[in-house]
């Protein structure tokens, strides 16, 4: 650089001015390209998943990341960062450089519920410090139980719980997760008491606990549960879907069993740090939309009980997240549920 400066000093003044102007223009063009998203990505992209491998959030993150790797020509890798009910991954992404190279695939628990249940613990505010890129999929849920659980319906579960209050353990993906809050809703509606066992690794840890009988019952997404049901290791007591599912035609819905409105058909979505340039967000959305709009991909996901529900735009997904954050906050205040 010193040699270059000395050579510049020997040039006529008009030439020096033109040279520095060209350098400045080059820097401006380079910065503009970075902001426009034209050159993005130029290096590997990391997607954090707030749970252990094996659950629905992990499944959809890995499917999308693999296809984005093909379309972007850069590695898009998934890193599992379980812990603190998803808050470790939430905070890591919110505090990462806002350049599109650190993303999150989260869900209704991490990105709508946690802001309310962990308001006194979180060092961030998810609806403010993260921005939605795309809603990816929705997943029907069931009340799952280990295969030899002595209940085959919600009524049976209630009868068992009333006979031995607090004796039945139920699993969740962590304090304040929707499996936890959905079971809280059921307990209040039915007048029963179960014992909550939270698992920081999501479905990847919940399923072994259900199968082993350590926590033999839980609200669980059907994408994770269906292989275990088909294998005879688990069974369904109810579905949270509006109508009976073709995959479980003999399992009555929560509404049919007298508990309409209880149970969350959870969405999964992709997020970035809030200050990420809009052109980068738009390029990511376009990439995700291309993946999820493919008919073969839709069919593949449908077979895993992952219903593609791509948001029309990043802005509309962000509006959904903010709306659900407010609604879950209202429920928690009304129910006087507080997570310490």
């Amino acid at each position: 650089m010193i040699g270059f400066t000395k050579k510049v000093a020997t040039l006529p003044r008009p030439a020096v001015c033109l040279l520095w102007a060209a350098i400045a223009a080059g820097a401006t063009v380079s910065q503009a390209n970075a902001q426009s998203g034209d050159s993005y990505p130029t290096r590997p992209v990391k997607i954090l998943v707030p749970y252990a491998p094996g659950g629905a959030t992990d499944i959809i993150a890995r499917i999308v990341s693999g296809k984005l790797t093909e379309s972007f020509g850069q590695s898009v890798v998934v890193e599992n960062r379980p812990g603190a009910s998803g808050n470790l991954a939430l905070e890591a992404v919110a505090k990462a450089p806002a350049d599109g190279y650190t993303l999150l695939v989260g869900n209704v628990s991490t990105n709508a519920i946690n802001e309310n249940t962990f308001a006194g613990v979180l060092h961030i505010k998810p609806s403010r410090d993260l921005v939605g890129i795309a809603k990816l999929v929705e997943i029907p849920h069931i009340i799952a139980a280990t295969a030899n659980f002595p209940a085959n319906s919600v009524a049976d579960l209630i009868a068992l719980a009333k006979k031995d209050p607090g004796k039945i353990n139920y699993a969740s993906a962590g304090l304040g997760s929707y499996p936890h809050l959905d079971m809280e809703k059921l307990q209040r509606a039915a007048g029963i008491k179960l014992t909550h066992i939270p698992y920081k690794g999501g479905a990847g840890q919940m399923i072994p606990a259900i199968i082993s009988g350590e926590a033999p019952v839980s609200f669980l997404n059907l994408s994770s549960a269906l292989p275990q049901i088909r294998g005879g290791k688990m069974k369904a007591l109810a579905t949270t879907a509006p109508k009976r599912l073709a995959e479980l035609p003999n399992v009555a819905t929560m509404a049919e069993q007298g508990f309409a409105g209880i149970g969350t058909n959870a969405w999964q979505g992709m997020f970035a740090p809030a200050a990420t340039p809009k052109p980068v967000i738009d390029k990511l959305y376009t990439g995700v939309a291309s993946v999820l709009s493919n008919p073969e991909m839709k069919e593949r996901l449908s077979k895993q009980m992952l219903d593609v529900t791509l948001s029309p735009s990043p802005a509309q997904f962000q509006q959904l997240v903010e709306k659900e954050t407010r609604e879950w906050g209202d429920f928690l205040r009304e129910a006087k549920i507080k997570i310490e």
Side-chain angles (χ1 to χ4, degrees):
M1 184 67 183
I2 294 173
F4 173 77
T5 304
K6 287 181 178 179
K7 288 181 180 179
V8 169
T10 65
L11 296 173
R13 182 175 178 80
V16 172
C17 292
L18 287 172
L19 178 60
W20 286 117
I23 292 171
T28 301
V29 170
S30 177
Q31 184 178 12
N33 284 341
Q35 291 295 310
S36 71
D38 289 344
S39 61
Y40 172 86
T42 59
R43 53 189 172 86
V45 177
K46 179 168 61 179
I47 298 177
L48 295 192
V49 169
Y51 305 111
T57 308
D58 180 70
I59 290 169
I60 188 61
R62 291 182 185 279
I63 289 173
V64 170
S65 68
K67 292 298 181 181
L68 289 180
T69 294
E70 295 176 10
S71 61
F72 285 166
Q74 288 285 346
S75 296
V76 180
V77 298
V78 171
E79 178 183 317
N80 298 89
R81 188 81 62 90
S85 298
N87 291 337
L88 293 183
L90 270 181
E91 293 196 349
V93 176
K95 295 176 181 179
D99 54 12
Y101 290 94
T102 304
L103 308 174
L104 173 83
V105 169
N107 57 35
V108 62
S109 279
T110 57
N111 290 81
I113 298 175
N114 281 16
E115 182 166 319
N116 298 290
T117 52
F118 296 101
V121 177
L122 277 170
H123 298 100
I124 62 159
K125 189 174 182 180
S127 65
R128 178 196 65 202
D129 299 325
L130 293 164
V131 62
I133 297 169
K135 181 183 177 189
L136 305 174
V137 294
E138 282 190 7
I139 312 165
H141 275 57
I142 63 171
I143 296 183
T146 189
N148 61 0
F149 191 64
N152 293 302
S153 66
V154 175
D156 291 347
L157 173 61
I158 292 170
L160 284 173
K162 287 187 173 180
K163 181 180 178 182
D164 292 305
K167 297 291 186 181
I168 300 172
N169 294 340
Y170 75 92
S172 85
L175 292 168
S177 64
Y178 58 87
H180 172 206
L181 299 183
D182 285 343
M183 195 63 82
E184 284 288 335
K185 290 180 181 179
L186 179 59
Q187 289 181 90
R188 288 170 180 270
I192 58 175
K193 176 64 177 175
L194 307 177
T195 296
H196 180 210
I197 309 294
Y199 294 91
K200 68 178 183 179
Q205 292 183 343
M206 292 167 67
I207 289 173
I210 295 168
I211 291 173
S212 70
E214 179 179 273
V217 65
S218 176
F219 277 94
L220 186 67
N221 73 73
L222 190 53
S223 175
S224 300
L226 193 58
Q228 307 300 332
I229 292 172
R230 288 172 172 164
K233 295 180 179 179
M234 286 169 46
K235 62 183 176 182
L237 309 186
T239 75
T240 65
K243 58 183 181 180
R244 294 198 184 195
L245 300 170
E247 292 79 9
L248 300 171
N250 297 321
V251 179
T253 67
M254 291 292 289
E256 287 179 286
Q257 299 189 59
F259 295 95
I262 296 179
T264 302
N265 289 320
W267 50 259
Q268 317 286 322
M270 182 178 286
F271 298 84
T276 303
K278 184 177 183 298
V280 173
I281 296 293
D282 290 342
K283 188 166 185 178
L284 283 163
Y285 175 83
T286 300
V288 169
S290 177
V291 172
L292 296 183
S293 299
N294 182 288
E296 291 182 3
M297 178 58 70
K298 282 187 175 182
E299 183 178 358
R300 174 185 171 187
L301 292 171
S302 177
K303 289 179 179 178
Q304 299 183 68
M305 300 307 300
L306 299 171
D307 182 24
V308 172
T309 52
L310 179 71
S311 50
S313 69
Q316 286 172 280
F317 179 42
Q318 181 66 19
Q319 290 167 7
L320 170 70
V321 173
E322 292 173 359
K323 173 178 175 290
E324 294 206 0
T325 299
R326 291 192 298 270
E327 290 175 351
W328 278 104
D330 292 342
F331 163 71
L332 288 161
R333 283 186 290 274
E334 291 170 8
K336 296 181 171 60
I337 296 174
K338 186 177 180 181
I339 308 299
E340 300 295 341

